[in-house]
């Protein structure tokens, strides 16, 4: 599609008009809107299962990463009738979020300049009960990615002490995400509280390198362990989402071996090479949907904080 400004296509019985296909979205790399749409076409089998039935927030870059962007929660009135939506009640209003369960909707989103895929941690069948929790590892000023990897391993070890499995991925920016699949049985507030307690264990184990400080100025030299991303309505770049940074990086699943061996960088994977990686080693998050960790004790029992702080292997610090 490169070099074509406009094209009418039919995808799974739905007709779409793709526009401005030659517009540069990542100018330095010569990557156009057509490349972005092709990426979503190729990666749809791996992207759609993770966002299935999740309300989406569109982060739109109509003029590419060098232009203005905006977040859009409400499905626009001009969307095709076949674009599925789900109404979610917020304080004082109802927002009709887009639900992207098929390829035509995914390509329509790409054509809207929806560069990133931001999804809820819950699905519409249990909208107030998340089936995912997340730790967002965000390096403060002066923190190298090596340190982010080190903190990720510390989180992994702590989770394993409590029989919890975490799935690591690059954020596609400077940090990492660790996804924790759950049974959808606790509220967002309960999950946030559980993640806070787990985060506090990490801070006690490595106070010189990890912080829960919300002030950006006070995070200098440390990795911010953001548990507040587990709040109701919070979204983040989901699995295989492109990012609006030079080189078109994507948020890519990792193996813990890659984390241990310091084998990855924030920009290791992008929209041009991720398909080869997936075809070669498979989808590293394939087991995530079937995994259901239990966090009940962290919601009900404060004493686990003390136990956790005593069981972390300190040799990583």
């Amino acid at each position: 599609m490169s070099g074509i400004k406009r094209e009418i296509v039919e995808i799974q019985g739905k007709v779409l008009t793709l526009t401005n296909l030659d517009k540069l979205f990542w100018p330095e790399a010569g990557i156009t809107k057509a490349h972005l749409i092709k990426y979503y076409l190729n990666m749809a089998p791996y992207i759609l299962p993770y966002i299935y039935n999740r309300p989406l927030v569109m982060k739109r870059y109509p003029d590419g990463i060098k232009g203005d962007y905006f977040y859009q929660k409400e499905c626009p009135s001009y969307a095709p009738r076949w674009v599925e939506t789900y109404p979610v009640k917020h304080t004082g209003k109802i927002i009709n979020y887009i639900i992207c369960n098929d390829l035509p909707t995914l390509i329509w989103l790409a054509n809207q300049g929806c560069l990133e895929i931001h999804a809820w941690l819950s699905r519409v069948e249990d909208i107030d009960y998340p089936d995912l929790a997340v730790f967002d590892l965000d390096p403060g000023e002066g923190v190298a990615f090596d340190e982010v990897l080190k903190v990720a391993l510390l989180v992994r070890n702590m989770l394993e002490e409590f029989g919890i499995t975490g799935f690591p991925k690059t954020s596609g920016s400077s940090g990492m995400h660790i996804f924790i699949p759950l049974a959808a049985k606790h509220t967002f507030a309960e999950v946030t509280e559980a993640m806070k307690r787990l985060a506090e264990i990490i801070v006690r184990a490595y106070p010189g390198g990890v912080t829960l400080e919300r002030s950006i100025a006070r995070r200098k030299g440390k990795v911010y362990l953001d548990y507040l991303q587990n709040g109701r309505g919070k979204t983040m770049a989901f699995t295989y989402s492109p990012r609006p940074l030079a080189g078109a990086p994507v948020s890519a699943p990792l193996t813990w071996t890659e984390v241990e061996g310091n084998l990855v960088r924030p920009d290791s994977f992008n929209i041009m090479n991720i398909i080869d990686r997936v075809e070669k080693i498979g989808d590293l998050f394939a087991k995530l949907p079937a995994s259901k960790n239990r966090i009940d004790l962290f919601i009900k029992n404060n004493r686990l904080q003390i136990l956790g702080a005593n069981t972390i292997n300190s040799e990583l610090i």
Side-chain angles (χ1 to χ4, degrees):
M1 289 184 291
S2 181
I4 302 174
K5 294 183 178 181
R6 181 185 180 94
E7 185 174 342
I8 298 176
V9 299
E10 182 175 337
I11 301 175
Q12 297 178 354
K14 307 295 193 302
V15 176
L16 296 88
T17 300
L18 306 179
T19 58
N20 299 314
L21 293 172
D22 58 350
K23 182 175 287 186
L24 286 170
F25 268 35
W26 286 270
E28 297 92 340
I31 297 175
T32 66
K33 185 179 180 181
H35 290 112
L36 176 67
I37 291 173
K38 186 175 186 293
Y39 170 76
Y40 278 124
L41 280 168
N42 291 336
M43 289 296 294
Y46 307 104
I47 292 172
L48 290 173
Y50 298 112
I51 61 175
Y52 180 83
N53 269 3
R54 298 187 188 277
L56 301 185
V57 174
M58 295 184 286
K59 189 176 182 183
R60 297 176 60 181
Y61 289 79
D63 295 309
I65 68 170
K66 297 298 184 181
D68 293 333
Y69 69 89
F70 59 96
Y71 290 92
Q72 186 171 358
K73 296 181 179 181
E74 181 76 24
C75 178
S77 59
Y78 59 79
R81 295 180 62 182
W82 42 261
V83 171
E84 184 181 354
T85 62
Y86 184 81
V88 178
K89 186 175 182 180
H90 294 271
T91 304
K93 61 181 177 180
I94 293 177
I95 295 177
N96 295 291
Y97 290 90
I98 290 174
I99 305 298
C100 181
N101 291 343
D102 56 40
L103 180 58
T105 302
L106 185 63
I107 300 307
W108 180 82
L109 287 169
N111 190 56
Q112 299 305 303
C114 184
L115 191 150
E116 291 185 317
I117 299 175
H118 282 243
W120 277 46
L121 297 177
S122 64
R123 302 180 190 267
V124 297
E125 52 266 40
D126 292 294
I127 195 64
D128 289 316
Y129 297 87
D131 66 341
L132 278 178
V134 63
F135 276 129
D136 183 0
L137 281 61
D138 186 9
E141 181 183 349
V143 176
F145 192 65
D146 292 0
E147 184 71 3
V148 177
L149 295 172
K150 177 179 176 179
V151 172
L153 289 173
L154 192 60
V155 173
R156 191 265 316 259
N157 287 0
M158 180 269 297
L159 292 175
E160 287 183 346
E161 292 289 346
F162 299 109
I164 298 173
T165 301
F167 291 77
K169 67 183 182 75
T170 63
S171 70
S173 182
S174 59
M176 286 183 61
H177 299 150
I178 299 176
F179 274 6
I180 300 171
L182 306 171
K185 57 182 290 189
H186 297 297
T187 66
F188 280 100
E190 290 173 329
V191 171
T192 299
E193 178 62 23
M195 298 302 286
K196 177 184 178 182
R197 292 182 179 180
L198 288 166
E200 289 171 341
I201 294 173
I202 297 296
V203 172
R204 285 200 299 273
Y206 190 22
V210 184
T211 182
L212 303 184
E213 177 58 62
R214 297 181 67 181
S215 169
I216 294 177
R218 296 178 181 177
R219 299 178 196 166
K220 186 175 181 179
K222 296 184 179 182
V223 174
Y224 174 48
L225 192 55
D226 188 357
Y227 65 87
L228 294 172
Q229 290 289 352
N230 294 282
R232 185 179 188 269
K234 292 282 189 177
T235 63
M236 65 178 59
F238 243 58
T239 311
Y240 299 118
S241 172
R243 302 305 305 274
L245 299 170
V250 301
S251 183
L254 303 173
T255 67
W256 283 115
T257 299
E258 288 174 321
V259 179
E260 290 171 341
N262 198 12
L263 301 177
V264 293
R265 299 291 94 188
D267 58 354
S268 290
F269 309 109
N270 56 60
I271 70 169
M272 308 306 285
N273 68 17
I274 190 66
I275 187 67
D276 292 335
R277 173 176 167 85
V278 173
E279 289 177 348
K280 181 179 179 180
I281 67 175
D283 179 12
L284 296 178
F285 274 17
K287 295 181 179 180
L288 184 147
S291 303
K292 302 297 179 185
N293 292 291
R294 299 191 61 173
I295 57 172
D296 307 60
L297 294 176
F298 293 96
I299 295 169
K300 299 175 182 177
N301 189 346
N302 288 320
R303 288 178 298 174
L304 279 180
Q305 295 184 56
I306 300 173
L307 173 62
N310 291 333
T311 56
I312 291 183
N313 187 338
S314 61
E315 66 184 25
L316 284 173
I317 302 175

